[in-house]
Amino acid sequence: MSLHAQTHRLMAPDIAAMKRVKPIVALTSYHAHTAAIADKYCDLLIVGDSLGMVMHGFETTVPVTLDMMIVHGRAVVRGARRALVVVDMPFGSYEESPSVAFRNAARVMKETDCGAVKLEGGRRMAETTRYLVDRGIPVMGHIGLTPQSINVLGGFKTQGRTRDEWPAIEADALALSDAGAFAVVLEAMSAPLAARITEQVPIPTIGIGASSHCDGQVLVMEDMLGLSPRVPKFVKKFGAVATAIEDAIRAYAEEVGARRFPGTEHTYAMKDEPRDLAAVTKKPKKLST
């Protein structure tokens, strides 16, 4: 007889049901130990292809590979116990056709055991979204600023700041909802447009730089922790991790340089000899003549 896990891991329908019920708390995560911490407070953990910039030093998310996403996705799933884990499909892994998208998304689901995947793009991804959902793969959409399209957009530019841009972006959100996406990320979008879309679509909107009108919020974890050197305007730093890390490394280097670390309490003594490290390392006295 199989044993069910004591903690229920949230699934895509659970997140969808939170719309207008409670704000959805989400963060990105790329490794097991941060996932374990965030899991205590988050409903949703997104293994974003932003890991290419945050973890690997790329200038954009475009160079990220499917294998990279799978390695990090697997780590986050191992670290989390309750939150729904969503893994980004990287550039080039889903745009060619719905069948190619399914093959790659199925691999991500099987090899990471995540609960959903995320695709960038609105109406152009509606057919693919429907294709995946019909075959058992939950899909989160992503519209507004889509970082994988940065070379077409001409940079990381806020979307929907003029009203003539609104109809196309609204149509993107509605198309993804109609295609079966369980939620949609709104990135770097004007607040009035984000509020309007949130009211229009029956699925949760997850904002990142799209105002508190959204049904939930997500930030890149390293950005909000104060670990990233440069962050977008919409990021609030909730910590000063970079400073804490530098202080710790400086103290470590000073103690190593002064031979204060490691101390006796950090070493292994012989079982039948005293732990007095000073006595062991003490130079023998010269014999008098």
Side-chain angles (χ1 to χ4, degrees):
M1 182 175 67
S2 63
L3 296 176
H4 295 284
Q6 291 183 349
T7 302
H8 167 65
R9 188 187 290 277
L10 295 174
M11 304 176 76
D14 297 315
I15 300 298
M18 292 180 186
K19 186 176 180 74
R20 299 190 179 94
V21 175
K22 66 177 290 289
I24 298 166
V25 181
L27 280 172
T28 66
S29 183
Y30 314 119
H31 19 61
H33 60 281
T34 56
I37 297 170
D39 189 58
K40 301 173 185 178
Y41 308 99
C42 293
D43 307 302
L44 185 66
L45 293 177
I46 300 178
V47 186
D49 59 358
S50 50
L51 63 85
M53 302 170 74
V54 173
M55 302 292 296
H56 297 275
F58 297 141
E59 292 186 3
T60 72
T61 63
V62 173
V64 174
T65 67
L66 197 64
D67 286 339
M68 290 168 66
M69 295 307 305
I70 288 172
V71 167
H72 288 276
R74 189 182 295 144
V76 171
V77 170
R78 284 198 295 262
R81 292 291 179 268
R82 174 184 172 273
L84 171 67
V85 177
V86 179
V87 177
D88 273 9
M89 297 297 293
F91 178 71
S93 68
Y94 61 93
E95 297 91 340
E96 183 177 347
S97 68
S99 59
V100 169
F102 175 77
R103 184 185 314 122
N104 289 327
R107 182 185 168 204
V108 169
M109 297 283 289
K110 289 169 71 70
E111 294 187 27
T112 68
D113 201 25
C114 69
V117 298
K118 180 165 74 64
L119 312 181
E120 291 188 9
R123 285 161 292 170
R124 64 184 175 84
M125 282 296 116
E127 180 186 358
T128 297
T129 297
R130 172 56 65 190
Y131 192 91
L132 297 186
V133 172
D134 285 348
R135 286 157 180 77
I137 298 180
V139 174
M140 171 179 279
H142 185 151
I143 62 173
L145 171 60
T146 48
Q148 292 176 11
S149 303
I150 186 174
N151 291 310
V152 173
L153 295 174
F156 295 98
K157 297 181 178 179
T158 305
Q159 304 295 299
R161 299 192 76 176
T162 60
R163 288 187 179 272
D164 60 344
E165 297 179 68
W166 286 21
I169 301 173
E170 292 176 78
D172 283 341
L174 290 167
L176 291 174
S177 177
D178 291 343
F182 71 90
V184 59
V185 171
L186 309 183
E187 181 168 357
M189 187 180 295
S190 66
L193 176 58
R196 183 177 171 89
I197 290 174
T198 300
E199 287 300 315
Q200 286 179 332
V201 296
I203 59 175
T205 58
I206 310 297
I208 176 167
S211 85
S212 61
H213 296 295
C214 296
D215 297 300
Q217 299 294 325
V218 64
L219 283 176
V220 172
M221 186 181 294
E222 282 73 4
D223 288 353
M224 58 83 68
L225 288 176
L227 187 58
S228 302
R230 294 188 304 166
V231 298
K233 174 186 177 180
F234 57 73
V235 172
K236 177 179 178 178
K237 293 185 179 181
F238 289 83
V241 172
T243 301
I245 290 175
E246 184 171 354
D247 289 346
I249 293 174
R250 182 188 302 110
Y252 165 73
E254 289 173 354
E255 290 200 16
V256 170
R259 295 191 182 277
R260 295 196 303 273
F261 176 84
T264 303
E265 68 273 25
H266 306 118
T267 60
Y268 299 95
M270 297 292 289
K271 290 184 177 181
D272 56 350
E273 293 181 9
R275 289 184 56 87
D276 187 354
L277 188 61
V280 173
T281 58
K282 188 176 181 180
K283 294 181 180 179
K285 294 181 179 180
K286 291 183 180 180
L287 297 176
S288 59
T289 55

